[in-house]
């Protein structure tokens, strides 16, 4: 079939090779683009960019398609529809065992035989390394939650103290009437809806949590 379809292979491959030349300067080092002549599967590669991704060069062979994917295998068989067909988002495995994210477009002869495969393979390992590095730099979820709690706790303390200063006289004990006004404003500002808000308010006022709860009940009765 090789000599029989040489002209059709050349007609399809020519524009794709030109497109690959245009892409060469824009691809990342972990992105491979490869053009295959499917009429010579044992040495199918016509042109390849960033062949280090899969460890191949011109004249080398196809990588395995997605394991157990009969749909991909069917694309490499004769078809009654000779329009190009694309399969995307599948995995291929290199000879060294590296898993790549892949996509391919198959071009067929006028009779429906597969002639050319235009393939893109991406090595995801650099992204995984970056993610691991970032994970190592960032605090764990528990540490992050603790930091948020500490920061929020500081804001609550500040708000509580501002309200207390508004209704009390420095150096004098807070009277019940003053405390009720303080608790009422804390309630209005939503301090008691925040985790630990009641306990922090009680400590700042020099009373127990139950006293704060009683003050809230008095407010509700009015």
């Amino acid at each position: 079939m090789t000599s029989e379809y040489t002209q059709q292979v050349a007609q399809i491959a020519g524009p794709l090779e030109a497109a690959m030349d245009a892409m060469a300067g824009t691809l990342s080092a972990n992105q491979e683009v490869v053009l295959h002549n499917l009429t010579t599967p044992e040495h199918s590669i016509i042109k390849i960019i960033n062949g280090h991704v899969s460890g191949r060069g011109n004249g080398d062979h196809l990588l395995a398609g997605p394991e157990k994917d009969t749909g991909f295998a069917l694309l490499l068989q004769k078809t009654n529809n000779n329009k190009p067909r694309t399969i995307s988002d599948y995995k291929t495995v290199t000879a060294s065992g590296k898993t790549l994210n892949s996509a391919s477009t198959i071009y067929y002869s006028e009779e429906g035989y597969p002639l050319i495969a235009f393939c893109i393979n991406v090595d995801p390992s650099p992204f995984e390394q970056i993610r691991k590095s970032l994970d190592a730099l960032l605090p764990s979820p528990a540490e992050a939650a603790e930091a948020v709690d500490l920061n929020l706790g500081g804001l609550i303390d500040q708000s509580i103290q501002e309200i207390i200063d508004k209704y009390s006289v420095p150096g004098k004990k807070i009277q019940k009437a003053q405390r009720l006004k303080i608790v009422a404003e804390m309630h209005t500002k939503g301090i008691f809806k925040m985790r630990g808000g009641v306990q922090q308010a009680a400590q700042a006022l020099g009373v127990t949590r139950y006293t704060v709860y009683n003050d809230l009940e008095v407010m509700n009765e009015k």
Side-chain angles (χ1 to χ4, degrees):
M1 187 174 75
T2 304
S3 58
E4 183 180 353
Y5 292 101
T6 299
Q7 185 175 356
Q8 289 189 51
V9 167
Q11 288 175 342
I12 298 170
L16 293 174
E17 289 187 70
M20 290 174 68
D21 289 336
M23 296 171 66
T26 63
L27 295 173
S28 300
N30 67 318
Q31 298 172 330
E32 175 187 85
V33 178
V34 56
L35 190 64
H36 292 279
N37 179 353
L38 298 178
T39 67
T40 56
E42 296 80 8
H43 47 90
S44 63
I45 295 180
I46 302 171
K47 188 179 185 70
I48 189 168
I49 301 172
N50 289 342
H52 60 271
V53 171
S54 63
R56 297 174 300 167
N58 289 343
D60 284 339
H61 54 78
L62 281 163
L63 286 174
E67 294 182 8
K68 301 179 182 178
D69 190 335
T70 55
F72 183 81
L74 289 173
L75 291 180
L76 299 180
Q77 297 179 7
K78 185 179 183 299
T79 176
N80 293 326
N81 184 351
N82 61 9
K83 293 182 179 180
R85 300 171 69 184
T86 297
I87 180 169
S88 58
D89 194 23
Y90 66 90
K91 306 294 183 184
T92 48
V93 181
T94 68
S96 64
K98 185 192 302 180
T99 299
L100 307 177
N101 298 329
S102 302
S104 297
T105 298
I106 312 297
Y107 295 83
Y108 298 88
S109 69
E110 295 174 357
E111 297 81 7
Y113 288 102
L115 299 182
I116 293 289
F118 181 81
C119 305
I120 299 174
N121 301 306
V122 179
D123 178 8
S125 59
F127 302 113
E128 294 170 359
Q129 292 170 1
I130 291 172
R131 180 183 58 78
K132 289 178 181 178
S133 297
L134 289 174
D135 286 345
L137 294 173
L138 295 173
S140 67
E143 291 172 338
E146 182 179 355
V148 170
D149 283 346
L150 289 173
N151 187 43
L152 184 58
L155 292 174
I156 294 173
D157 284 337
Q158 182 179 345
S159 297
I160 289 172
Q161 193 57 52
E162 288 175 354
I163 296 170
I164 291 174
D165 291 343
K166 180 178 177 181
Y167 293 101
S168 64
V169 178
K172 291 188 177 182
K173 184 179 179 180
I174 298 174
Q175 302 301 312
K176 183 175 181 180
Q178 294 171 308
R179 191 179 69 239
L180 288 173
K181 291 180 181 180
I182 291 169
V183 170
E185 185 160 338
M186 289 181 183
H187 175 70
T188 300
K189 291 191 173 181
I191 287 175
F192 300 131
K193 293 181 180 179
M194 300 179 186
R195 187 169 65 179
V198 172
Q199 181 63 35
Q200 288 175 258
Q203 289 177 348
L205 289 166
V207 298
T208 66
R209 287 183 302 156
Y210 303 106
T211 299
V212 175
Y213 287 130
N214 288 335
D215 289 345
L216 288 169
E217 287 183 11
V218 170
M219 289 168 43
N220 291 331
E221 291 173 359
K222 290 183 178 180

